[in-house]
Amino acid sequence: PQLLDILAKHDVKATFFVMGAYVDQFPDVARRIVNEGHIIANHTYNHPDLSAESDEEVLKQILWTQESIEDATGVWPTIYRLPFGAGGRRVVELLDDMTSILWNIDSMDWHYHDAELTYDNIMANLQSNSLLLMHDTHQATPDVIDRLIPVLKEMNYEFVSPDEVGFDLRYYGE
């Protein structure tokens, strides 16, 4: 909710790759994501390394999350993000009715847990057509986003959907 408040304050839309278990636990947050015009997308049910899972388990993880999102929001996502970026061509081909979205800048917020280090890392790696990976699991991330959005707007960056970025890599090599 804090992150959604910050995005609303800055009039920016984002894409949320959500885990089905969290959607089941917090359906009101999932509804708010959709109701406020953000994109909601699939990030598996409980974040396994898909490269170590069977085809059947991969499909189960995605389907359970699709169903959780649809039950909570009425939306059936068309995009997903591979946990850890793992799964490679096999998973992408298995999920051929959806689009895999990767990133070209890892904010490292999941590692740093520190707003200043995360901000510095983002700014050092910023590029045209940036697709920025961030997580909402630590307070540093909303702090960074609240600081980052005005800076990026001042630099004439636009906030668009992942498909509009022009970063077409769909999986990392295994």
Side-chain angles (χ1 to χ4, degrees):
Q2 181 187 18
L3 186 53
L4 289 166
D5 292 343
I6 291 166
L7 292 169
K9 175 176 108 175
H10 293 291
D11 192 30
V12 166
K13 301 302 179 204
T15 301
F16 289 84
F17 292 91
V18 298
M19 291 188 302
Y22 287 148
V23 173
D24 289 345
Q25 190 175 0
F26 305 106
D28 291 345
V29 175
R31 277 190 288 281
R32 185 173 169 200
I33 288 169
V34 170
N35 290 341
E36 293 184 10
H38 303 283
I39 296 171
I40 195 164
N42 194 315
H43 192 46
T44 70
Y45 195 80
N46 57 6
H47 209 266
D49 178 341
L50 297 180
S51 67
E53 301 294 335
S54 68
D55 289 358
E56 180 181 281
E57 183 61 26
V58 169
L59 293 171
K60 209 179 333 181
Q61 284 281 328
I62 296 296
L63 180 60
W64 286 349
T65 303
Q66 292 289 92
E67 291 171 345
S68 295
I69 293 169
E70 184 179 44
D71 289 347
T73 69
V75 172
W76 188 265
T78 60
I79 61 176
Y80 65 96
R81 185 169 75 76
L82 300 163
F84 315 105
R89 175 181 293 218
R90 176 184 67 93
V91 171
V92 169
E93 289 176 353
L94 192 61
L95 302 172
D96 65 353
D97 60 334
M98 299 177 74
T99 301
S100 169
I101 301 295
L102 293 178
W103 58 92
N104 55 16
I105 299 177
D106 184 347
S107 71
M108 300 294 288
D109 59 347
W110 56 271
H111 174 73
Y112 294 134
H113 302 200
D114 178 275
E116 193 65 29
L117 290 173
T118 301
Y119 178 85
D120 289 346
N121 180 58
I122 293 167
M123 295 308 291
N125 290 290
L126 207 55
Q127 54 190 291
S128 297
N129 300 321
S130 293
L131 210 151
L132 180 59
L133 173 68
M134 301 190 83
H135 302 79
D136 63 355
T137 52
H138 304 284
Q139 181 57 46
T141 300
D143 295 342
V144 169
I145 290 173
D146 198 25
R147 178 179 173 196
L148 187 65
I149 290 172
V151 171
L152 294 178
K153 284 183 173 182
E154 182 68 27
M155 295 171 70
N156 294 315
Y157 276 87
E158 294 179 48
F159 296 84
V160 299
S161 72
D163 285 335
E164 294 176 272
V165 173
F167 181 67
D168 294 328
L169 186 65
R170 298 297 175 213
Y171 60 88
Y172 297 122
E174 290 293 304

